[in-house]
Amino acid sequence: MNKKSVFSGLLSLFMFFSLLTSVGAQASNEVDQGIIPALSDASSVSESTLDEHLQEMGFETTEISTLPIEMKRDISSKDGKKVAAQEVDTTVTITDEEGNVVTDQAATNQLAASATPTISGYAVYSGTSNNGRERIYQVYATYRWASSPFNFYTDNLAMAWQSNATPTGTPNGQHTAGGNTYSSPVDKEEVSGTAWFVDMKAGGSTTVQSGWGRQELRYATSSQGINTAIAVGYSHRNLPGNDTEVNLGFGVVSFGGIGKTDYTGRFNFTI
C-alpha cells in the first residue's frame, strides 16, 4: 500500500469520526435542551399514553384536556418540547350581511348562535438542522367549540408569522366533531402564513367541535434569544353563500367578507 492510499484511508476515517462526533454532540445538545424523543408508535397508542408524553414535553394538563387526539398524535410523533408562550387577548369582530361591523351578535342573523369558540396557539421546539444553523419549530393554531354553533358552513383558520421565520414542509390541518376527524384542506400557503378551510358539522349543545393547523418554521440560530410572534385567526360564517377572504401578512391575519364573526389573537415566544 503506498503512502497516498494510507493518507486517503486515514483522512476518510478522520472525516467519519468527525461526523459521528458532530452528530453525537448535536444529539447531546438537544437532550441538554430538554427535547423529548418522539413516540415511535404515536399513531396507535392510547390517549392516556399521549397525555403522559405531552406532559413530559411541557404541556399543562389543562391544555392537554382541550386538544383533539389527532393533534396529540401529531405533536407526539416528532421530537420536541413545548415552548413557553405568552398569549394576547382574542379580539372579536362581527360583520353583518351588509358589511357593517356591529357589536350585537344577534344583529348579524336572528338565528345567530350564542356559542363561541376559543382560539389558541402553541410552539414546539424540535432542535436544530442544517449543521446547527437553523432552529426548528412546529407551530399550531387551534380552535374549540364547547358546543356546536347553529350555523355550520365553511369556516376559516389561519396563522401568520413574522419575517424572521421560513416555512418548510407540508402544513397539516384537521377538524374533529362528534368523535370523527376530517382533513382541513389548505386554502393559502404563503411565505408569511398558512390558512385552512374548516368544514363545520351539524351538532348540538353537547357536541364539541375543534381543530388545528400546523406549520413547520425555521429560524436562523443567530436569532436565538429574540422575541417573535405568531398571529392566529378563525372566521366563522353566520350566513350562507358568501366566501370569506383570508389575508395573510407578516404577523397579521385578517378576514374580508360579510355575515361572519372573526376571532383574532397572537402568541409570543422567545426563539
Side-chain angles (χ1 to χ4, degrees):
M1 181 180 295
N2 58 41
K3 292 183 178 180
K4 184 175 182 181
S5 298
V6 172
F7 177 76
S8 298
L10 290 173
L11 181 60
S12 298
L13 284 173
F14 174 77
M15 293 177 66
F16 175 72
F17 284 113
S18 294
L19 177 60
L20 287 180
T21 302
S22 175
V23 172
Q26 181 172 330
S28 175
N29 185 44
E30 292 182 1
V31 169
D32 291 342
Q33 294 179 60
I35 294 176
I36 305 302
L39 282 177
S40 59
D41 52 355
S43 62
S44 59
V45 298
S46 67
E47 187 165 12
S48 61
T49 298
L50 294 171
D51 291 350
E52 291 173 2
H53 185 78
L54 291 177
Q55 280 186 301
E56 192 177 0
M57 293 180 70
F59 284 83
E60 301 291 337
T61 54
T62 51
E63 296 171 330
I64 295 171
S65 65
T66 65
L67 303 181
I69 186 171
E70 294 304 326
M71 180 176 169
K72 296 178 183 180
R73 295 193 190 282
D74 189 84
I75 297 172
S76 300
S77 68
K78 303 171 185 64
D79 297 347
K81 69 171 182 178
K82 179 178 177 289
V83 176
Q86 179 183 10
E87 296 206 27
V88 178
D89 291 342
T90 300
T91 298
V92 181
T93 305
I94 304 170
T95 307
D96 66 15
E97 65 275 15
E98 296 179 352
N100 300 312
V101 175
V102 297
T103 57
D104 181 8
Q105 171 80 41
T108 63
N109 184 330
Q110 291 302 311
L111 297 177
S114 59
T116 58
T118 55
I119 64 172
S120 190
Y122 300 95
V124 178
Y125 174 57
S126 299
T128 60
S129 67
N130 194 15
N131 292 323
R133 289 193 287 269
E134 294 177 325
R135 293 172 63 84
I136 308 170
Y137 291 82
Q138 309 297 330
V139 292
Y140 293 83
T142 73
Y143 59 90
R144 187 176 190 273
W145 296 83
S147 61
S148 296
F150 181 85
N151 300 303
F152 49 98
Y153 308 116
T154 299
D155 290 351
N156 301 83
L157 173 69
M159 69 165 73
W161 39 85
Q162 294 183 324
S163 58
N164 58 348
T166 301
T168 61
T170 302
N172 190 13
Q174 292 184 333
H175 177 74
T176 299
N180 298 311
T181 299
Y182 310 87
S183 175
S184 295
V186 173
D187 174 21
K188 288 187 174 183
E189 189 174 353
E190 300 179 356
V191 68
S192 58
T194 304
W196 296 263
F197 291 115
V198 177
D199 186 12
M200 292 294 293
K201 306 298 179 183
S205 60
T206 60
T207 303
V208 175
Q209 302 207 40
S210 59
W212 52 279
R214 173 188 48 80
Q215 176 70 61
E216 182 175 298
L217 298 178
R218 305 285 180 96
Y219 295 86
T221 303
S222 58
S223 300
Q224 188 170 357
I226 295 176
N227 293 328
T228 192
I230 306 292
V232 177
Y234 181 89
S235 183
H236 173 61
R237 294 226 53 79
N238 297 315
L239 298 172
N242 298 291
D243 293 331
T244 298
E245 179 185 0
V246 180
N247 302 302
L248 301 171
F250 285 115
V252 178
V253 170
S254 63
F255 302 98
I258 62 174
K260 60 186 178 59
T261 304
D262 302 330
Y263 304 84
T264 56
R266 57 192 284 147
F267 62 101
N268 308 315
F269 64 95
T270 302
I271 300 171

